[in-house]
Amino acid sequence: MSAQDRLTDALYGLGWSTVRKLPEPVAVRLGHTIADLAWKQRGKGVQRLESNYARVVPGAGPERLAELSRAGMRSYLRYWMESFRLPAWSEERIKGGFEPKGLHHLTEGLAAGKGVILALPHLANWDLAGAWVTTKLGIKFTTVAERLKPETLYDRFVAYREGLGMEVLPHSGGTAFGTLARRLRDGGLVCLVADRDLSASGVEVDFFKDTARMPAGPALLAQQTGALLLPVTLWYDDSPVMRGRIHPPVEAPGSGTRAEKTSVMTQALADAFATGIAEHPEDWHMLQRLWLADLDPAKGTS
């Protein structure tokens, strides 16, 4: 392990061991302080965040984009402060920490025994939403995690999410899709963050009037298993409670090839994501390149 990897792992370990012990108001102030410092430094992540917001809020001038990026960094650090503290939250704090609209789409889908796929963008705190599902609803689910470097950091994230009641599969390795399909055929719940393709083999979609690539997995799983595919968007307001919306199901087209159906369904997901992101752009934590026009054409990745 390199010195940089050891430092990264140590910093995350410090966050989970120290921040979780702080009183909530102190953690909130610390998050704001770190966010504001990072924003003032205008590193690559902040610049990319502003560039992405420029697509989401067309016509926004430099002052508006600066306001958005500052709010975006504060939202991003709220995610991290909450995530570091979630393992120490009481059941009541978790149950009261999230209020979603459209919950009937999820509960009715699971009651039908078909299996349900929840697909989310990088909005607000998807880990908190997951902890709420396992704690408030008492429903376990399966998800996929990107393999991080160093490996010890990936192990920390897996242990963290498993501690919140999630089954976590590695993104790489080729076995995740089959396991997810089995869980859905058994009537289970699968949750996937699905606004950024990590394989370079995703589906091209129109996203805020330009082309981006999003993963085909949610649409393919829904077609193969008959599971309900539900987009979810999340946001923060001025309260300690995160808000959310479970959107109506994305239906598979009645005709067309598998690839054509996948394209239509993934575009429908992108449209639902865009609705939530446009309403709460500062809560979209996309500090990486997303649109094809922004990607390195030689590498096809950010």
Side-chain angles (χ1 to χ4, degrees):
M1 186 188 300
S2 69
Q4 180 62 45
D5 285 347
R6 286 196 297 271
L7 176 61
T8 299
D9 183 60
L11 288 173
Y12 279 98
L14 183 65
W16 268 299
S17 64
T18 302
V19 174
R20 66 187 296 176
K21 299 175 184 177
L22 296 176
E24 190 157 344
V26 176
V28 170
R29 289 196 298 272
L30 177 61
H32 284 175
T33 299
I34 296 172
D36 290 348
L37 285 172
W39 177 75
K40 289 176 182 177
Q41 290 177 353
R42 293 198 56 79
K44 290 183 179 180
V46 173
Q47 293 180 49
R48 175 50 50 190
L49 190 64
E50 280 190 14
S51 177
N52 290 339
Y53 286 161
R55 292 179 180 272
V56 172
V57 188
E63 289 186 6
R64 173 60 176 148
L65 290 175
E67 290 173 358
L68 276 175
S69 65
R70 184 183 187 192
M73 290 304 295
R74 285 192 167 198
S75 177
Y76 186 47
L77 262 295
R78 176 172 172 175
Y79 161 79
W80 280 113
M81 292 295 113
E82 288 178 346
S83 295
F84 287 143
R85 291 170 47 75
L86 261 176
W89 279 14
S90 67
E91 287 192 5
E92 289 307 309
R93 178 67 181 90
I94 293 174
K95 290 177 181 179
F98 179 44
E99 289 187 359
K101 302 175 182 178
L103 183 59
H104 65 280
H105 293 304
L106 170 59
T107 55
E108 290 171 4
L110 290 173
K114 297 170 57 177
V116 175
I117 305 160
L118 298 179
L120 308 88
H122 286 80
L123 273 169
N125 192 339
W126 47 96
D127 285 326
L128 172 55
W132 184 88
V133 168
T134 61
T135 305
K136 174 77 172 182
L137 303 183
I139 299 169
K140 305 300 182 183
F141 65 87
T142 305
T143 189
V144 174
E146 177 185 0
R147 278 205 174 276
L148 302 172
K149 292 182 180 180
E151 190 75 14
T152 51
L153 180 57
Y154 171 76
D155 292 340
R156 285 186 189 275
F157 271 96
V158 170
Y160 157 63
R161 289 178 172 135
E162 287 180 342
L164 297 175
M166 311 175 194
E167 179 187 23
V168 183
L169 307 176
H171 181 271
S172 58
T175 61
F177 188 91
T179 303
L180 295 173
R182 287 194 295 274
R183 300 292 183 268
L184 292 168
R185 290 194 184 98
D186 290 338
L189 176 64
V190 165
C191 299
L192 301 170
V193 179
D195 59 341
R196 182 169 180 255
D197 179 57
L198 296 173
S199 67
S201 60
V203 178
E204 291 190 4
V205 295
D206 180 76
F207 196 55
F208 291 101
K209 299 184 178 180
D210 206 345
T211 304
R213 188 185 293 120
M214 294 187 180
L220 288 172
L221 282 167
Q223 292 176 68
Q224 184 163 315
T225 66
L228 204 63
L229 177 54
L230 301 174
V232 180
T233 52
L234 310 170
W235 66 92
Y236 291 128
D237 56 19
D238 294 330
S239 78
V241 180
M242 184 176 70
R243 314 296 174 177
R245 180 187 176 195
I246 302 173
H247 296 248
V250 170
E251 303 288 349
S255 61
T257 65
R258 187 183 189 190
E260 289 169 344
K261 291 180 180 180
T262 300
S263 178
V264 171
M265 296 172 74
T266 306
Q267 181 64 60
L269 280 181
D271 292 343
F273 294 167
T275 298
I277 292 167
E279 291 173 350
H280 305 278
E282 68 279 2
D283 291 325
W284 189 41
H285 308 150
M286 186 55 65
L287 280 72
Q288 300 84 22
R289 300 176 190 269
L290 179 72
W291 283 271
L292 300 191
D294 294 334
L295 297 175
D296 182 345
K299 296 181 181 179
T301 59
S302 61

